[in-house]
């Protein structure tokens, strides 16, 4: 909507008309609106008093997701050393990227801003790509630490670059207002008011000792502020956080008239928490119920439609022994805690459930196991790839007679049809890539083969491993599917046929490292494990040796998570065979 450029605009649920109540909150507003006194989080009613010509536009969540993914894809094509903050904000460690462009460069404050390959040039290049592909302006703050970069971004808006070098850092931070520091919200700043006014700067707060700050805001917050006002920030862009809790809180639209409605609501909260635990592959050992109850002196009808208004908060805690992630058990425990609070359901204005004492759960991998196993199942059984392991009629008959089943062989009701994944691979190599296939050639003769293919094998057009890793990440951003699994699986097969085992190991390790990234979709851990086992089995058949492609010694935790899912699949296969063929152990 280019006609709105230069006008005061706000994003909100409200239409902004005179007939509207105006109790909706403003999620975001343009710089023209901010210049007129409109702020994020203010009510539309109050904003219209300050800015009578304010234009209110609705949310466009689908567009936000689309553009956000495009922005992250643009940056990830150049470096994966990034940390997502929100849909439109991220930290990027550009050290490696800049050094790869200019070996003598670094971002510790020693680079000349005129360097054509320096931080400003890289930032402008990324901004140009974002504007070209999304039409959106981007602002970049550059500094020697995440804190300085974030503060610098304020001076880069609405569409520019601000670089604070190391020698400028102390003066730059001293000129910032304390209220602008990340982590210093309204409540914390109110406690610091005794040290200065609304416009108190960091340089003014530096004259106080850490012990004096502790008296106002506590030890932990005081230490954080004491370091920030001096520009000290030793945090890394890539931060590994261990999830300690899972929660779900609703404090808008809570209006119950009877107990049944409350129980249904608790059941829906428990269902959402079960999904979150499955995604986190965790079980919970503790549960906390938080309830907001209308204060005795608060009006029944709130100023904001269906808002919670003035409330008293009550909390109750309980233990889950043994730890669990089942929705029904969570709902039962929540109902017990709710019953202990003893408040009329009509007075409830907010309900939240938090689960703590999280422990890893093997069972959490089972839904992924059943989904990914479908991709690797025979096509006749509904699989996408048709990579079912060889079914041998003779061995099937032996098993019916009580004989042992050969290792690595799966049986099912289509025993007459042989679907050998090695044969599929062999046909693909001969017809599509024109590679001679010698399935059991001794390793001593492999070096004498003259391949008819180019000397180097590319992955999606890339030859260098850093760029191959980026391609792998691009495939893994989406959930596993035939179109994303296929290129990775076939590339491994091709490397085995060319006897490039060193390249195969590097490629397999690259997929393993990609799985550990936070931006990879669920399901890839199980998929990579499955592909690695396929490659290892083929190497064993061809070379008489099995390379450790999965890096089991350094990936024990991953193996433990998935082993439970594999065992369940194998048990199901055994039961299915016994049911189908009447086989007894």
């Amino acid at each position: 909507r280019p006609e709105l450029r230069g006008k005061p605009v706000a994003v909100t649920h409200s239409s902004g008309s005179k007939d509207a109540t105006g109790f909706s909150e403003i999620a975001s507003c343009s710089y023209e609106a901010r210049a007129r006194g409109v702020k994020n989080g203010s009510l539309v009613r109050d904003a219209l008093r300050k800015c009578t010509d304010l234009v209110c536009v609705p949310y466009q969540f689908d567009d936000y997701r689309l553009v956000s993914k495009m922005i992250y894809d643009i940056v990830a094509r150049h470096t994966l050393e990034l940390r997502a903050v929100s849909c439109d904000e991220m930290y990027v460690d550009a050290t490696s990227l800049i050094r790869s462009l200019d070996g003598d460069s670094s971002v510790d404050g020693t680079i000349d801003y005129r360097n054509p390959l320096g931080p400003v040039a890289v930032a402008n290049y990324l901004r140009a790509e974002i504007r070209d592909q999304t039409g959106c302006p981007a602002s970049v703050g550059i500094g020697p630490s995440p804190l300085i970069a974030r503060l610098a971004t304020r001076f880069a808006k609405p569409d520019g670059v601000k670089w604070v070098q190391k020698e400028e850092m102390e003066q730059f931070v001293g000129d910032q207002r304390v209220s602008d520091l990340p982590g210093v919200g309204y409540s914390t700043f109110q406690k610091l008011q005794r040290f200065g006014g609304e416009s108190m700067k960091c340089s003014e707060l530096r004259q106080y000792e850490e012990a004096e700050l502790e008296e106002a805001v506590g030890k932990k917050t005081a230490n954080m502020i004491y370091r920030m006002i001096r520009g000290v920030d030793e945090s890394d862009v890539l931060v590994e956080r261990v999830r300690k809790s899972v929660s779900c809180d609703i404090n808008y639209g809570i209006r119950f008239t009877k107990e049944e409605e409350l129980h249904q609501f608790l059941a829906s909260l428990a269902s959402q928490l079960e999904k979150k635990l499955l995604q986190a592959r965790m079980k919970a050992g503790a549960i906390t119920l938080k309830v907001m109850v209308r204060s005795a002196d608060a009006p029944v009808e709130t100023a904001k439609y269906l808002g919670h208004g003035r409330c008293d908060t009550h909390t109750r805690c309980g233990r889950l022994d043994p730890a669990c992630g089942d929705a029904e058990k969570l709902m039962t425990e929540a109902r017990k805690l709710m019953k202990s609070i003893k408040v009329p359901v009509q007075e409830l204005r907010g309900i939240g459930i938090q689960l703590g004492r999280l422990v890893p759960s093997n069972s959490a991998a089972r839904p992924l196991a059943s989904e990914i196993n479908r991709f690797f199942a025979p096509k006749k059984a509904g699989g996408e790839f048709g990579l079912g392991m060889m079914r041998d009629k003779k061995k099937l008959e032996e098993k019916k007679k009580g004989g042992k089943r050969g290792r690595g062989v799966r049986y099912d009701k289509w025993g007459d049809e042989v679907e050998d994944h090695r044969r599929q691979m062999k046909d693909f190599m001969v017809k599509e890539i024109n590679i001679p296939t010698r399935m059991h050639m001794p390793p001593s003769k492999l070096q004498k083969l003259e391949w008819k293919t180019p000397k180097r094998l590319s992955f999606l057009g890339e030859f260098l491993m850093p760029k191959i890793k980026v391609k792998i990440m691009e495939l893994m951003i989406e959930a596993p599917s035939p179109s994303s699994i296929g290129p990775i699986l076939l590339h491994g097969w091709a490397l085995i046929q060319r006897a490039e085992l060193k390249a195969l190991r590097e490629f397999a390790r690259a997929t393993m490292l990609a799985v550990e990234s936070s931006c990879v979709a669920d399901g890839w851990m199980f998929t990579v494990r499955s592909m690695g086992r396929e490659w290892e089995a083929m190497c064993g058949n061809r070379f008489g040796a099995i390379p450790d492609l999965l890096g089991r010694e350094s990936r024990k935790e991953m193996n433990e998570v998935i082993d439970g899912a594999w065992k369940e699949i194998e048990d199901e296969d055994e039961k299915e065979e016994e049911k189908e063929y009447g086989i007894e152990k």
Side-chain angles (χ1 to χ4, degrees), residues 144 148 151 155 162 164-177 181 201-204 206 228-232:
I148 305 302
L151 293 174
F155 296 87
K162 172 65 176 178
V164 178
Q165 301 194 47
K166 200 168 186 177
E167 59 270 20
E168 306 169 337
M169 187 173 64
E170 185 176 357
Q171 180 64 38
F172 173 76
V173 175
D175 293 338
Q176 306 306 307
R177 292 185 301 182
L181 295 175
K201 294 185 177 181
C202 293
S203 57
E204 298 172 7
R206 287 174 184 170
M228 283 198 300
I229 60 179
R230 289 163 173 77
V232 179

PDB file of all heavy atoms in Angstrom, residues 144 148 151 155 162 164-177 181 201-204 206 228-232:
ATOM      1  N   PRO A 144      31.295  -4.628  18.355  1.00  0.00           N
ATOM      2  CA  PRO A 144      32.147  -5.748  18.774  1.00  0.00           C
ATOM      3  C   PRO A 144      31.431  -6.764  19.658  1.00  0.00           C
ATOM      4  O   PRO A 144      32.009  -7.792  19.995  1.00  0.00           O
ATOM      5  CB  PRO A 144      33.286  -5.060  19.544  1.00  0.00           C
ATOM      6  CG  PRO A 144      32.687  -3.781  20.028  1.00  0.00           C
ATOM      7  CD  PRO A 144      31.686  -3.358  19.005  1.00  0.00           C
ATOM      8  N   ILE A 148      26.341  -3.937  21.918  1.00  0.00           N
ATOM      9  CA  ILE A 148      26.655  -2.720  21.167  1.00  0.00           C
ATOM     10  C   ILE A 148      25.927  -2.730  19.817  1.00  0.00           C
ATOM     11  O   ILE A 148      25.411  -1.698  19.369  1.00  0.00           O
ATOM     12  CB  ILE A 148      28.179  -2.592  20.957  1.00  0.00           C
ATOM     13  CG1 ILE A 148      28.905  -2.641  22.306  1.00  0.00           C
ATOM     14  CG2 ILE A 148      28.514  -1.306  20.226  1.00  0.00           C
ATOM     15  CD1 ILE A 148      28.478  -1.570  23.290  1.00  0.00           C
ATOM     16  N   LEU A 151      22.237  -1.794  20.404  1.00  0.00           N
ATOM     17  CA  LEU A 151      22.061  -0.365  20.670  1.00  0.00           C
ATOM     18  C   LEU A 151      22.309   0.459  19.406  1.00  0.00           C
ATOM     19  O   LEU A 151      21.640   1.472  19.167  1.00  0.00           O
ATOM     20  CB  LEU A 151      23.005   0.075  21.788  1.00  0.00           C
ATOM     21  CG  LEU A 151      22.714  -0.494  23.185  1.00  0.00           C
ATOM     22  CD1 LEU A 151      23.823  -0.082  24.156  1.00  0.00           C
ATOM     23  CD2 LEU A 151      21.353  -0.011  23.691  1.00  0.00           C
ATOM     24  N   PHE A 155      20.112   3.642  15.976  1.00  0.00           N
ATOM     25  CA  PHE A 155      20.588   4.802  15.210  1.00  0.00           C
ATOM     26  C   PHE A 155      20.631   4.512  13.711  1.00  0.00           C
ATOM     27  O   PHE A 155      20.833   5.415  12.917  1.00  0.00           O
ATOM     28  CB  PHE A 155      21.974   5.215  15.705  1.00  0.00           C
ATOM     29  CG  PHE A 155      21.983   5.692  17.126  1.00  0.00           C
ATOM     30  CD1 PHE A 155      22.123   4.794  18.184  1.00  0.00           C
ATOM     31  CD2 PHE A 155      21.826   7.040  17.423  1.00  0.00           C
ATOM     32  CE1 PHE A 155      22.125   5.223  19.491  1.00  0.00           C
ATOM     33  CE2 PHE A 155      21.823   7.483  18.741  1.00  0.00           C
ATOM     34  CZ  PHE A 155      21.965   6.571  19.779  1.00  0.00           C
ATOM     35  N   LYS A 162      24.684   1.582  11.160  1.00  0.00           N
ATOM     36  CA  LYS A 162      25.452   2.291  12.185  1.00  0.00           C
ATOM     37  C   LYS A 162      26.517   1.348  12.722  1.00  0.00           C
ATOM     38  O   LYS A 162      26.227   0.258  13.209  1.00  0.00           O
ATOM     39  CB  LYS A 162      24.522   2.738  13.329  1.00  0.00           C
ATOM     40  CG  LYS A 162      25.243   3.314  14.535  1.00  0.00           C
ATOM     41  CD  LYS A 162      25.966   4.616  14.214  1.00  0.00           C
ATOM     42  CE  LYS A 162      26.588   5.220  15.477  1.00  0.00           C
ATOM     43  NZ  LYS A 162      27.338   6.456  15.202  1.00  0.00           N
ATOM     44  N   VAL A 164      29.578   1.007  15.396  1.00  0.00           N
ATOM     45  CA  VAL A 164      30.269   1.516  16.584  1.00  0.00           C
ATOM     46  C   VAL A 164      31.540   0.698  16.750  1.00  0.00           C
ATOM     47  O   VAL A 164      31.495  -0.498  17.044  1.00  0.00           O
ATOM     48  CB  VAL A 164      29.387   1.389  17.841  1.00  0.00           C
ATOM     49  CG1 VAL A 164      30.152   1.888  19.068  1.00  0.00           C
ATOM     50  CG2 VAL A 164      28.088   2.161  17.664  1.00  0.00           C
ATOM     51  N   GLN A 165      32.696   1.347  16.570  1.00  0.00           N
ATOM     52  CA  GLN A 165      33.963   0.634  16.671  1.00  0.00           C
ATOM     53  C   GLN A 165      34.423   0.558  18.126  1.00  0.00           C
ATOM     54  O   GLN A 165      33.881   1.213  19.015  1.00  0.00           O
ATOM     55  CB  GLN A 165      35.015   1.318  15.796  1.00  0.00           C
ATOM     56  CG  GLN A 165      34.597   1.364  14.320  1.00  0.00           C
ATOM     57  CD  GLN A 165      35.735   1.718  13.403  1.00  0.00           C
ATOM     58  OE1 GLN A 165      36.817   1.160  13.513  1.00  0.00           O
ATOM     59  NE2 GLN A 165      35.499   2.645  12.487  1.00  0.00           N
ATOM     60  N   LYS A 166      35.419  -0.266  18.361  1.00  0.00           N
ATOM     61  CA  LYS A 166      35.826  -0.599  19.724  1.00  0.00           C
ATOM     62  C   LYS A 166      36.248   0.636  20.519  1.00  0.00           C
ATOM     63  O   LYS A 166      35.897   0.791  21.696  1.00  0.00           O
ATOM     64  CB  LYS A 166      36.966  -1.615  19.682  1.00  0.00           C
ATOM     65  CG  LYS A 166      37.152  -2.388  20.965  1.00  0.00           C
ATOM     66  CD  LYS A 166      38.092  -3.560  20.747  1.00  0.00           C
ATOM     67  CE  LYS A 166      38.168  -4.414  22.012  1.00  0.00           C
ATOM     68  NZ  LYS A 166      39.023  -5.607  21.827  1.00  0.00           N
ATOM     69  N   GLU A 167      36.980   1.533  19.878  1.00  0.00           N
ATOM     70  CA  GLU A 167      37.464   2.713  20.601  1.00  0.00           C
ATOM     71  C   GLU A 167      36.338   3.702  20.910  1.00  0.00           C
ATOM     72  O   GLU A 167      36.483   4.574  21.768  1.00  0.00           O
ATOM     73  CB  GLU A 167      38.579   3.414  19.812  1.00  0.00           C
ATOM     74  CG  GLU A 167      38.170   3.876  18.423  1.00  0.00           C
ATOM     75  CD  GLU A 167      38.426   2.823  17.371  1.00  0.00           C
ATOM     76  OE1 GLU A 167      38.562   1.640  17.738  1.00  0.00           O
ATOM     77  OE2 GLU A 167      38.495   3.193  16.180  1.00  0.00           O
ATOM     78  N   GLU A 168      35.204   3.589  20.225  1.00  0.00           N
ATOM     79  CA  GLU A 168      34.067   4.482  20.464  1.00  0.00           C
ATOM     80  C   GLU A 168      33.077   3.902  21.464  1.00  0.00           C
ATOM     81  O   GLU A 168      32.130   4.581  21.871  1.00  0.00           O
ATOM     82  CB  GLU A 168      33.319   4.731  19.148  1.00  0.00           C
ATOM     83  CG  GLU A 168      34.187   5.240  18.014  1.00  0.00           C
ATOM     84  CD  GLU A 168      33.469   5.208  16.681  1.00  0.00           C
ATOM     85  OE1 GLU A 168      32.506   4.420  16.532  1.00  0.00           O
ATOM     86  OE2 GLU A 168      33.875   5.975  15.796  1.00  0.00           O
ATOM     87  N   MET A 169      33.280   2.661  21.868  1.00  0.00           N
ATOM     88  CA  MET A 169      32.266   1.917  22.611  1.00  0.00           C
ATOM     89  C   MET A 169      31.900   2.564  23.951  1.00  0.00           C
ATOM     90  O   MET A 169      30.724   2.756  24.268  1.00  0.00           O
ATOM     91  CB  MET A 169      32.767   0.488  22.838  1.00  0.00           C
ATOM     92  CG  MET A 169      31.761  -0.440  23.457  1.00  0.00           C
ATOM     93  SD  MET A 169      32.390  -2.137  23.490  1.00  0.00           S
ATOM     94  CE  MET A 169      33.807  -1.948  24.586  1.00  0.00           C
ATOM     95  N   GLU A 170      32.893   2.934  24.749  1.00  0.00           N
ATOM     96  CA  GLU A 170      32.626   3.469  26.083  1.00  0.00           C
ATOM     97  C   GLU A 170      31.818   4.762  26.016  1.00  0.00           C
ATOM     98  O   GLU A 170      30.835   4.929  26.745  1.00  0.00           O
ATOM     99  CB  GLU A 170      33.946   3.702  26.837  1.00  0.00           C
ATOM    100  CG  GLU A 170      33.744   4.143  28.272  1.00  0.00           C
ATOM    101  CD  GLU A 170      35.055   4.272  29.022  1.00  0.00           C
ATOM    102  OE1 GLU A 170      36.117   3.955  28.431  1.00  0.00           O
ATOM    103  OE2 GLU A 170      35.021   4.692  30.189  1.00  0.00           O
ATOM    104  N   GLN A 171      32.206   5.668  25.136  1.00  0.00           N
ATOM    105  CA  GLN A 171      31.482   6.928  24.993  1.00  0.00           C
ATOM    106  C   GLN A 171      30.080   6.691  24.449  1.00  0.00           C
ATOM    107  O   GLN A 171      29.106   7.313  24.890  1.00  0.00           O
ATOM    108  CB  GLN A 171      32.253   7.869  24.053  1.00  0.00           C
ATOM    109  CG  GLN A 171      31.594   9.223  23.822  1.00  0.00           C
ATOM    110  CD  GLN A 171      31.501  10.044  25.098  1.00  0.00           C
ATOM    111  OE1 GLN A 171      32.410  10.033  25.925  1.00  0.00           O
ATOM    112  NE2 GLN A 171      30.388  10.752  25.275  1.00  0.00           N
ATOM    113  N   PHE A 172      29.965   5.779  23.502  1.00  0.00           N
ATOM    114  CA  PHE A 172      28.671   5.500  22.880  1.00  0.00           C
ATOM    115  C   PHE A 172      27.674   4.973  23.910  1.00  0.00           C
ATOM    116  O   PHE A 172      26.531   5.442  23.982  1.00  0.00           O
ATOM    117  CB  PHE A 172      28.852   4.485  21.754  1.00  0.00           C
ATOM    118  CG  PHE A 172      27.563   4.002  21.140  1.00  0.00           C
ATOM    119  CD1 PHE A 172      26.854   4.811  20.267  1.00  0.00           C
ATOM    120  CD2 PHE A 172      27.058   2.744  21.457  1.00  0.00           C
ATOM    121  CE1 PHE A 172      25.657   4.365  19.710  1.00  0.00           C
ATOM    122  CE2 PHE A 172      25.876   2.294  20.909  1.00  0.00           C
ATOM    123  CZ  PHE A 172      25.169   3.111  20.033  1.00  0.00           C
ATOM    124  N   VAL A 173      28.103   3.989  24.716  1.00  0.00           N
ATOM    125  CA  VAL A 173      27.197   3.422  25.727  1.00  0.00           C
ATOM    126  C   VAL A 173      26.863   4.465  26.781  1.00  0.00           C
ATOM    127  O   VAL A 173      25.715   4.554  27.246  1.00  0.00           O
ATOM    128  CB  VAL A 173      27.831   2.176  26.379  1.00  0.00           C
ATOM    129  CG1 VAL A 173      26.954   1.663  27.510  1.00  0.00           C
ATOM    130  CG2 VAL A 173      28.032   1.082  25.348  1.00  0.00           C
ATOM    131  N   GLY A 174      27.827   5.299  27.164  1.00  0.00           N
ATOM    132  CA  GLY A 174      27.572   6.315  28.168  1.00  0.00           C
ATOM    133  C   GLY A 174      26.505   7.306  27.768  1.00  0.00           C
ATOM    134  O   GLY A 174      25.794   7.851  28.624  1.00  0.00           O
ATOM    135  N   ASP A 175      26.347   7.544  26.480  1.00  0.00           N
ATOM    136  CA  ASP A 175      25.351   8.505  25.992  1.00  0.00           C
ATOM    137  C   ASP A 175      23.948   7.908  25.886  1.00  0.00           C
ATOM    138  O   ASP A 175      22.987   8.639  25.604  1.00  0.00           O
ATOM    139  CB  ASP A 175      25.771   9.042  24.620  1.00  0.00           C
ATOM    140  CG  ASP A 175      27.025   9.900  24.706  1.00  0.00           C
ATOM    141  OD1 ASP A 175      27.309  10.401  25.809  1.00  0.00           O
ATOM    142  OD2 ASP A 175      27.726  10.048  23.685  1.00  0.00           O
ATOM    143  N   GLN A 176      23.818   6.578  26.067  1.00  0.00           N
ATOM    144  CA  GLN A 176      22.499   5.941  25.930  1.00  0.00           C
ATOM    145  C   GLN A 176      21.701   6.079  27.225  1.00  0.00           C
ATOM    146  O   GLN A 176      22.254   6.087  28.323  1.00  0.00           O
ATOM    147  CB  GLN A 176      22.655   4.459  25.582  1.00  0.00           C
ATOM    148  CG  GLN A 176      23.523   4.189  24.374  1.00  0.00           C
ATOM    149  CD  GLN A 176      23.069   4.960  23.162  1.00  0.00           C
ATOM    150  OE1 GLN A 176      21.904   4.893  22.770  1.00  0.00           O
ATOM    151  NE2 GLN A 176      23.995   5.700  22.563  1.00  0.00           N
ATOM    152  N   ARG A 177      20.383   6.169  27.071  1.00  0.00           N
ATOM    153  CA  ARG A 177      19.516   6.196  28.238  1.00  0.00           C
ATOM    154  C   ARG A 177      19.434   4.799  28.858  1.00  0.00           C
ATOM    155  O   ARG A 177      19.429   3.799  28.141  1.00  0.00           O
ATOM    156  CB  ARG A 177      18.112   6.666  27.857  1.00  0.00           C
ATOM    157  CG  ARG A 177      18.056   8.135  27.434  1.00  0.00           C
ATOM    158  CD  ARG A 177      16.640   8.570  27.179  1.00  0.00           C
ATOM    159  NE  ARG A 177      16.012   7.768  26.117  1.00  0.00           N
ATOM    160  CZ  ARG A 177      14.781   7.967  25.675  1.00  0.00           C
ATOM    161  NH1 ARG A 177      14.031   8.942  26.200  1.00  0.00           N
ATOM    162  NH2 ARG A 177      14.277   7.209  24.717  1.00  0.00           N
ATOM    163  N   LEU A 181      18.356   0.189  27.475  1.00  0.00           N
ATOM    164  CA  LEU A 181      19.164  -1.025  27.560  1.00  0.00           C
ATOM    165  C   LEU A 181      18.273  -2.262  27.447  1.00  0.00           C
ATOM    166  O   LEU A 181      17.179  -2.292  28.025  1.00  0.00           O
ATOM    167  CB  LEU A 181      19.941  -1.070  28.882  1.00  0.00           C
ATOM    168  CG  LEU A 181      20.998   0.003  29.094  1.00  0.00           C
ATOM    169  CD1 LEU A 181      21.596  -0.114  30.502  1.00  0.00           C
ATOM    170  CD2 LEU A 181      22.112  -0.108  28.050  1.00  0.00           C
ATOM    171  N   LYS A 201      21.091   8.778  31.931  1.00  0.00           N
ATOM    172  CA  LYS A 201      21.992   8.124  30.988  1.00  0.00           C
ATOM    173  C   LYS A 201      22.891   7.121  31.708  1.00  0.00           C
ATOM    174  O   LYS A 201      23.064   7.181  32.926  1.00  0.00           O
ATOM    175  CB  LYS A 201      22.845   9.165  30.258  1.00  0.00           C
ATOM    176  CG  LYS A 201      22.040  10.082  29.346  1.00  0.00           C
ATOM    177  CD  LYS A 201      22.947  11.013  28.573  1.00  0.00           C
ATOM    178  CE  LYS A 201      22.153  11.883  27.615  1.00  0.00           C
ATOM    179  NZ  LYS A 201      23.033  12.784  26.829  1.00  0.00           N
ATOM    180  N   CYS A 202      23.479   6.239  30.912  1.00  0.00           N
ATOM    181  CA  CYS A 202      24.353   5.204  31.480  1.00  0.00           C
ATOM    182  C   CYS A 202      25.558   5.818  32.172  1.00  0.00           C
ATOM    183  O   CYS A 202      26.028   5.308  33.204  1.00  0.00           O
ATOM    184  CB  CYS A 202      24.814   4.251  30.383  1.00  0.00           C
ATOM    185  SG  CYS A 202      23.486   3.246  29.673  1.00  0.00           S
ATOM    186  N   SER A 203      26.087   6.919  31.619  1.00  0.00           N
ATOM    187  CA  SER A 203      27.257   7.572  32.234  1.00  0.00           C
ATOM    188  C   SER A 203      26.916   8.100  33.622  1.00  0.00           C
ATOM    189  O   SER A 203      27.782   8.120  34.510  1.00  0.00           O
ATOM    190  CB  SER A 203      27.738   8.708  31.332  1.00  0.00           C
ATOM    191  OG  SER A 203      26.701   9.642  31.105  1.00  0.00           O
ATOM    192  N   GLU A 204      25.674   8.512  33.851  1.00  0.00           N
ATOM    193  CA  GLU A 204      25.260   9.015  35.168  1.00  0.00           C
ATOM    194  C   GLU A 204      25.135   7.875  36.174  1.00  0.00           C
ATOM    195  O   GLU A 204      25.439   8.035  37.357  1.00  0.00           O
ATOM    196  CB  GLU A 204      23.926   9.752  35.038  1.00  0.00           C
ATOM    197  CG  GLU A 204      23.993  10.975  34.124  1.00  0.00           C
ATOM    198  CD  GLU A 204      22.616  11.557  33.865  1.00  0.00           C
ATOM    199  OE1 GLU A 204      21.641  11.092  34.499  1.00  0.00           O
ATOM    200  OE2 GLU A 204      22.501  12.462  33.021  1.00  0.00           O
ATOM    201  N   ARG A 206      26.876   5.182  36.170  1.00  0.00           N
ATOM    202  CA  ARG A 206      28.186   4.566  36.423  1.00  0.00           C
ATOM    203  C   ARG A 206      28.797   5.014  37.752  1.00  0.00           C
ATOM    204  O   ARG A 206      29.660   4.332  38.301  1.00  0.00           O
ATOM    205  CB  ARG A 206      29.154   4.898  35.295  1.00  0.00           C
ATOM    206  CG  ARG A 206      28.892   4.167  34.000  1.00  0.00           C
ATOM    207  CD  ARG A 206      29.814   4.659  32.908  1.00  0.00           C
ATOM    208  NE  ARG A 206      29.524   4.034  31.628  1.00  0.00           N
ATOM    209  CZ  ARG A 206      30.060   4.434  30.468  1.00  0.00           C
ATOM    210  NH1 ARG A 206      30.923   5.457  30.465  1.00  0.00           N
ATOM    211  NH2 ARG A 206      29.740   3.814  29.351  1.00  0.00           N
ATOM    212  N   MET A 228      26.409  -3.730  31.734  1.00  0.00           N
ATOM    213  CA  MET A 228      25.918  -3.142  30.483  1.00  0.00           C
ATOM    214  C   MET A 228      26.224  -1.652  30.383  1.00  0.00           C
ATOM    215  O   MET A 228      26.581  -1.165  29.301  1.00  0.00           O
ATOM    216  CB  MET A 228      24.409  -3.375  30.334  1.00  0.00           C
ATOM    217  CG  MET A 228      24.030  -4.779  29.899  1.00  0.00           C
ATOM    218  SD  MET A 228      22.339  -4.893  29.243  1.00  0.00           S
ATOM    219  CE  MET A 228      21.381  -4.360  30.658  1.00  0.00           C
ATOM    220  N   ILE A 229      26.076  -0.908  31.469  1.00  0.00           N
ATOM    221  CA  ILE A 229      26.311   0.540  31.389  1.00  0.00           C
ATOM    222  C   ILE A 229      27.774   0.856  31.129  1.00  0.00           C
ATOM    223  O   ILE A 229      28.121   1.991  30.773  1.00  0.00           O
ATOM    224  CB  ILE A 229      25.837   1.248  32.684  1.00  0.00           C
ATOM    225  CG1 ILE A 229      26.579   0.707  33.897  1.00  0.00           C
ATOM    226  CG2 ILE A 229      24.331   1.110  32.838  1.00  0.00           C
ATOM    227  CD1 ILE A 229      26.180   1.381  35.219  1.00  0.00           C
ATOM    228  N   ARG A 230      28.646  -0.134  31.276  1.00  0.00           N
ATOM    229  CA  ARG A 230      30.071   0.012  30.949  1.00  0.00           C
ATOM    230  C   ARG A 230      30.419  -0.629  29.610  1.00  0.00           C
ATOM    231  O   ARG A 230      31.595  -0.719  29.244  1.00  0.00           O
ATOM    232  CB  ARG A 230      30.925  -0.587  32.076  1.00  0.00           C
ATOM    233  CG  ARG A 230      30.897   0.245  33.347  1.00  0.00           C
ATOM    234  CD  ARG A 230      31.387  -0.511  34.568  1.00  0.00           C
ATOM    235  NE  ARG A 230      31.485   0.383  35.724  1.00  0.00           N
ATOM    236  CZ  ARG A 230      30.437   0.800  36.428  1.00  0.00           C
ATOM    237  NH1 ARG A 230      29.218   0.402  36.100  1.00  0.00           N
ATOM    238  NH2 ARG A 230      30.600   1.613  37.456  1.00  0.00           N
ATOM    239  N   GLY A 231      29.409  -1.123  28.928  1.00  0.00           N
ATOM    240  CA  GLY A 231      29.615  -1.710  27.603  1.00  0.00           C
ATOM    241  C   GLY A 231      30.199  -3.106  27.642  1.00  0.00           C
ATOM    242  O   GLY A 231      30.705  -3.592  26.620  1.00  0.00           O
ATOM    243  N   VAL A 232      30.162  -3.765  28.802  1.00  0.00           N
ATOM    244  CA  VAL A 232      30.727  -5.111  28.938  1.00  0.00           C
ATOM    245  C   VAL A 232      29.670  -6.134  28.535  1.00  0.00           C
ATOM    246  O   VAL A 232      28.592  -6.192  29.134  1.00  0.00           O
ATOM    247  CB  VAL A 232      31.209  -5.373  30.378  1.00  0.00           C
ATOM    248  CG1 VAL A 232      31.760  -6.787  30.495  1.00  0.00           C
ATOM    249  CG2 VAL A 232      32.249  -4.341  30.776  1.00  0.00           C
TER     250      VAL A 232
END
